[in-house]
Amino acid sequence: MSDTTVPTTKATASTPGPDRTQVSRVALASLIGTTIEYYDFAVYGTAAALVLGPAFFPAGDSTVSTLAAFLTFAAAFLARPIGVVLFGTIGDRLGRKRALVLSLLMMGLATVGVGLLPTYETAGLLAPVLLVTLRLVQGVSIGGEWGGAVLLAAEHAPPGRRALYASIPQVGPVAGFLLSSAVILPTLSIAGRDGFADGAWRIPFLLSAVLIVIGLWVRTTVTESPVFSGRGPETRPASRFPLGTLIKEYPGRLLLGIGAAIGGSAVYYLTIVYSISYGPKALGIPQNTMLAAVSVAAVAAAVATVPFARLADRWGRKPVILTGAVGCAVWALPMFGSLSTGNGLVIAGAFTVGLLFFIMMFSPIAAFLPELFPARLRYTGASATFILANTLGGGFAPLVATWLNSQWKSPLVLGVYAGALCLVSLLCVLALPETRDEEFEI
């Protein structure tokens, strides 16, 4: 099947319609899973910005220790492609549900493990080695989370509402950040900056254990995707190595899909992760002010996720994504330029507008990327495009931004960087076909 042909095979007349109760439970399971996974990631990103550099990578220069902490953040992104291969193979050959349960369990154990680690002062070089190891496990886990979560929701969705249901797990990254802030802010307020650095930073990591138990219970009670379980003996079987088959049969779709998601990834991580460190350290913005401003913008993005997905079901995926890409490209400069004012209200307003444009790109992409590939390769295809875009556009964003600001010392360079990647996404989406009216292949 060529890159230019959208994979389509309509469900047979005997295929039962979706059970609304089960569909709702699946959507909830997908949302809880992505929220927990991105909570864990957000907790690490915030802790890296605040304390993990000195605790695990002591150095005379605070910039050097912060860079080292963000390097471990990037290391987890480098491990994500391993998760794509591992969980893509499990998800396409053995089932979406099995892959999702395993990915959530791995993430939870790694996150709790970070909260139990000794620091450099206690264990010497062993401490950063263990931290990097657990970060790699987190990266592998999240490499399989996104594709499975959106597929489980999308493949259960009623006709004409695929973008709507696929978008529900997309609330997870923003909700995970908000949940992490809801834990970190009170901990900071109660323990103080010194108390947080001395050991209170462990609390958000350890609380992940409670969330993981809830998430595993929810995920183990839902049914397998009907698209996967509905395969009959006449259906073309899954490949033994889905990623290799994907690269061979759909190289153009794979590259363009990565490009389509790369701009949104940069905007998200520069806003949600990097600005929380950059604002206080480089511009003197109070830490609580910065966290509150980003949280306000994140709430607006979370609320807008489902409405924009409904527009994508009505108008098509491309018009909504393209509007968001144009908006992000244009607004990136004033959005990050607002940091130079130091005013929390101005920053919150600018970031809110920016994240609303971001969510126009991010919400429909959950249906758009899976629709580019057939069922036998869909878990791997959706995961590979999104995760590689996240790695290239988001994983290295804090590292690249730290270097850019060491050279030019202006928040405007963040806008140039993010805006350029959003233009890349715009061009890639233009080159891909509209997929709204295509049936998921059984």
Side-chain angles (χ1 to χ4, degrees):
M1 192 176 292
S2 69
D3 279 329
T4 57
T5 304
V6 179
T8 61
T9 300
K10 294 189 177 182
T12 64
S14 62
T15 302
D19 182 319
R20 289 185 177 274
T21 302
Q22 185 60 220
V23 169
S24 298
R25 290 179 64 187
V26 166
L28 176 63
S30 298
L31 173 60
I32 288 176
T34 54
T35 299
I36 292 171
E37 296 251 6
Y38 280 91
Y39 165 85
D40 294 342
F41 234 67
V43 163
Y44 183 88
T46 304
L50 297 177
V51 300
L52 293 188
F56 288 88
F57 306 96
D61 188 334
S62 62
T63 300
V64 173
S65 63
T66 300
L67 273 171
F70 278 138
L71 273 172
T72 64
F73 186 82
F77 281 84
L78 291 176
R80 286 184 177 193
I82 300 174
V84 171
V85 176
L86 173 63
F87 291 105
T89 302
I90 294 172
D92 281 329
R93 290 184 59 82
L94 303 177
R96 313 335 189 181
K97 177 180 170 180
R98 188 174 301 184
L100 282 173
V101 169
L102 179 58
S103 72
L104 188 61
L105 184 60
M106 284 179 61
M107 174 62 84
L109 292 175
T111 302
V112 173
V114 172
L116 296 173
L117 283 180
T119 62
Y120 185 90
E121 183 179 2
T122 304
L125 289 175
L126 179 63
V129 169
L130 290 174
L131 179 64
V132 171
T133 300
L134 290 175
R135 287 295 293 160
L136 292 175
V137 173
Q138 284 185 318
V140 172
S141 166
I142 211 166
E145 169 62 29
W146 185 87
V150 298
L151 280 191
L152 202 62
E155 291 181 343
H156 274 88
R161 306 185 74 182
R162 193 182 302 142
L164 170 62
Y165 279 88
S167 75
I168 293 174
Q170 295 290 73
V171 179
V174 176
F177 164 75
L178 292 173
L179 188 59
S180 74
S181 296
V183 174
I184 289 173
L185 280 174
T187 305
L188 269 171
S189 299
I190 294 170
R193 185 65 182 260
D194 291 339
F196 192 81
D198 287 341
W201 62 268
R202 299 178 184 276
I203 294 172
F205 289 95
L206 297 177
L207 284 177
S208 178
V210 178
L211 300 175
I212 293 299
V213 170
I214 296 171
L216 287 173
W217 175 74
V218 172
R219 282 200 167 170
T220 53
T221 59
V222 300
T223 59
E224 178 57 88
S225 160
V227 172
F228 182 87
S229 59
R231 291 176 177 174
E234 75 285 353
T235 307
R236 188 174 178 184
S239 168
R240 290 187 177 181
F241 182 50
L243 182 60
T245 304
L246 182 75
I247 294 171
K248 179 181 178 180
E249 296 185 9
Y250 296 94
R253 293 270 176 102
L254 178 62
L255 291 175
L256 290 173
I258 293 168
I262 200 170
S265 297
V267 172
Y268 176 82
Y269 282 100
L270 287 175
T271 304
I272 296 295
V273 176
Y274 180 72
S275 66
I276 294 173
S277 170
Y278 173 72
K281 289 187 177 180
L283 304 174
I285 302 170
Q287 189 72 62
N288 286 356
T289 299
M290 196 68 238
L291 277 169
V294 175
S295 296
V296 168
V299 168
V303 171
T305 300
V306 170
F308 283 136
R310 295 185 69 177
L311 289 179
D313 275 330
R314 179 176 299 179
W315 297 344
R317 304 354 178 182
K318 290 179 64 173
V320 180
I321 297 173
L322 290 171
T323 302
V326 171
C328 278
V330 171
W331 189 250
L333 279 176
M335 177 170 66
F336 291 107
S338 70
L339 291 170
S340 62
T341 68
N343 186 302
L345 290 176
V346 173
I347 295 169
F351 275 33
T352 296
V353 174
L355 285 188
L356 286 176
F357 282 126
F358 152 76
I359 214 66
M360 291 184 76
M361 301 174 66
F362 189 66
S363 178
I365 209 80
F368 187 55
L369 295 180
E371 288 166 346
L372 295 173
F373 307 102
R376 63 192 174 88
L377 300 172
R378 190 172 294 136
Y379 199 123
T380 301
S383 297
T385 49
F386 186 81
I387 293 303
L388 290 175
N390 251 224
T391 300
L392 297 173
F396 291 99
L399 195 62
V400 172
T402 299
W403 180 83
L404 287 173
N405 277 296
S406 71
Q407 303 297 311
W408 285 278
K409 300 187 183 303
S410 168
L412 291 177
V413 298
L414 305 179
V416 173
Y417 175 51
L421 290 182
C422 287
L423 288 176
V424 171
S425 289
L426 186 150
L427 294 174
C428 290
V429 174
L430 284 172
L432 286 165
E434 176 58 63
T435 58
R436 180 192 62 175
D437 297 325
E438 302 301 330
E439 295 285 350
F440 262 4
E441 180 181 280
I442 301 295

